[in-house]
Amino acid sequence: MAEFDSVIRSRRVVTPEGSGPRAVGIRDGRIEAVAGYDAAMPARTATDLGDTALLPGGVDVGTGVHRPGEDLAESYRAVGRAALRGGVTSVVASAAPARPAVDRVGALGAHRRAAAGTAVSVSFLGGVGAGSGSLDLTDLLAEGVTAFQCSLSDGGEPDLSALDDSALRRVMAELAAVDAVLLVHAEDSGELGSPPVGAGRPPRAERRGLERVLAAARMAGARTHVHPFTAAECAALLAAAGAVGVELTAQTCPHYLCLPAESLVPASPAHACRPPLRSEANRAALWSALVDPAGPAVTTVGSGHLPAHGLYTLEWSLSALWTAARRRRLGLEDVVRWTAQGPADLLGLPDKGRIGVGADADLVAFDSARPVAVPTGDPSPYAGRELAGAVGPVWIAGHRVRPE
């Protein structure tokens, strides 16, 4: 047998087929073999994680990158460092808020150059605003954007304008023709209060927005993913989409699953969330929508990291999600499905988000039993909390890196 570059063993390797003791053989940055834990697999380097789990690296969809007033390249470097600390090996960068917004080929080039030094894999969403034309979408797709995103209100402000119904239908029709996914911030601008924070962003804004999205998708046939989805009372609308032939799914974030509004202190960064954190009852219902045995419409969980709005969540999202999931007797297989395999499947990234032969060797060691204390002064919504599950080390294309 030819020698592998490296072999990683764990008694809890999480693959699409389930968890178990396995050995993962890596060559030229890709997974070349997945065998039994004790299999003879000669390699130049070997790592035995014991009972520490081995997960596929997370695929974070819609990650906000650009921090106001900061050089774009440094923003990407900062996101890369936070991603590694959070067990994310693939970032799908949000088109906006960002300077420049990724709604033209020239802007995409600027982001691609700035991201060149990022520690993790980076792909890009193309932004769709009121002024976007057919040529812009075609050019962005030709240049390799992974999917597109838009907003029905202020989700992309100040750098991406909201779509009205006519523009939404037009964009969906164009993307349906090329089988591209559209991510939609679905809060309806007409239902937002003044100021549009807290109670000024009621669940009915999501409901009205979802009704608009469903109507447009039903006419245009586009694959549509709502993100972020927070109002659990709207889950029935999502679930009903399939019955009328509409491919409509959704993504939520760990902070919506972990932090009810009643628990927030006045100074919490979580007040920056758009939509806002909702009640404990809503949080429980949101979990039900995520694990619905009849087939969940909420299929992915992303960090919701958005520095432009003061929301820093990327580093803690995996631990926060696992903390809440294990209380519900859910497993790491569920977490991987929501944060790695599901996002990769959604965006057509077959080499990402799974441990299997042929996949990129982007891997994360995760000590699920180890407590992690979030510093009191941390800028995340989890500041001062104790979470479960420690990340590290991480492998990018088979190369071991340690989160800074």
Side-chain angles (χ1 to χ4, degrees), residues 169 172 212-222 224 245-248:
R169 288 193 298 270
M172 282 189 171
R212 291 174 57 192
V213 169
L214 183 57
R218 190 173 185 181
M219 292 180 64
T224 309
V246 174
E247 292 188 67
L248 178 61

Side-chain angles (χ1 to χ4, degrees):
M1 178 185 293
E3 185 179 56
F4 293 100
D5 295 335
S6 61
V7 169
I8 306 170
R9 303 177 194 273
S10 167
R11 298 192 183 281
R12 297 177 67 196
V13 176
V14 181
T15 73
E17 293 74 37
S19 297
R22 296 182 176 93
V24 178
I26 299 166
R27 186 181 289 116
D28 296 330
R30 301 176 76 84
I31 297 172
E32 194 159 297
V34 179
Y37 180 82
D38 295 319
M41 299 174 69
R44 287 196 286 272
T45 63
T47 302
D48 193 333
L49 298 174
D51 292 330
T52 296
L54 184 67
L55 315 181
V59 179
D60 198 61
V61 178
T63 315
V65 173
H66 203 182
R67 298 194 287 192
E70 184 175 73
D71 176 74
L72 186 58
E74 177 51 38
S75 290
Y76 272 101
R77 287 191 289 269
V79 157
R81 292 190 294 268
L84 286 178
R85 292 193 294 269
V88 169
T89 58
S90 298
V91 162
V92 185
S94 178
R99 299 297 171 85
V102 188
D103 58 353
R104 301 289 190 278
V105 167
L108 175 61
H111 280 260
R112 187 169 278 144
R113 290 189 294 274
T118 308
V120 299
S121 172
V122 180
S123 53
F124 304 91
L125 297 176
V128 181
S132 298
S134 299
L135 188 59
D136 299 317
L137 302 184
T138 301
D139 287 348
L140 284 168
L141 194 63
E143 289 298 316
V145 298
T146 303
F148 292 85
Q149 73 178 124
C150 69
S151 176
L152 305 186
S153 55
D154 60 357
E157 283 191 349
D159 305 314
L160 202 64
S161 55
L163 298 186
D164 61 20
D165 288 342
S166 175
L168 182 63
R169 288 193 298 270
R170 174 183 60 79
V171 168
M172 282 189 171
E174 291 172 0
L175 296 184
V178 293
D179 196 30
V181 178
L182 180 64
L183 282 72
V184 183
H185 181 109
E187 287 181 290
D188 183 85
S189 58
E191 299 292 343
L192 300 184
S194 182
V197 296
R201 309 184 78 96
R204 69 173 179 273
E206 282 193 67
R207 172 172 287 278
R208 175 56 185 145
L210 273 172
E211 290 169 347
R212 291 174 57 192
V213 169
L214 183 57
R218 190 173 185 181
M219 292 180 64
R223 291 192 293 139
T224 309
H225 200 60
V226 172
H227 99 114
F229 176 80
T230 73
E233 67 182 55
C234 302
L237 271 176
L238 285 174
V244 294
V246 174
E247 292 188 67
L248 178 61
T249 51
Q251 170 169 296
T252 194
C253 306
H255 40 279
Y256 295 117
L257 294 163
C258 303
L259 303 174
E262 295 93 332
S263 73
L264 297 185
V265 298
S268 172
H271 290 292
C273 293
R274 305 183 188 184
L277 267 63
R278 306 204 187 277
S279 68
E280 172 64 30
N282 183 89
R283 184 173 71 107
L286 193 57
W287 272 104
S288 296
L290 186 63
V291 300
D292 186 350
V298 181
T299 58
T300 65
V301 178
S303 71
H305 188 80
L306 199 60
H309 293 169
L311 199 59
Y312 295 83
T313 54
L314 190 56
E315 178 176 350
W316 306 108
S317 284
L318 176 58
S319 297
L321 181 60
W322 171 241
T323 301
R326 73 172 190 169
R327 289 175 184 157
R328 289 162 175 78
R329 300 176 184 261
L330 298 167
L332 287 175
E333 299 88 349
D334 300 297
V335 171
V336 164
R337 186 173 65 252
W338 301 325
T339 63
Q341 184 178 345
D345 289 348
L346 172 75
L347 299 182
L349 302 173
D351 298 334
K352 303 294 185 183
R354 65 186 180 91
I355 296 178
V357 174
D360 290 345
D362 298 339
L363 305 166
V364 173
F366 187 67
D367 187 345
S368 60
R370 182 178 166 187
V372 176
V374 183
T376 303
D378 192 84
S380 78
Y382 308 107
R385 297 175 182 268
E386 184 173 284
L387 305 176
V391 170
V394 177
W395 290 262
I396 303 290
H399 297 287
R400 180 169 175 161
V401 295
R402 286 193 176 276
E404 297 179 21

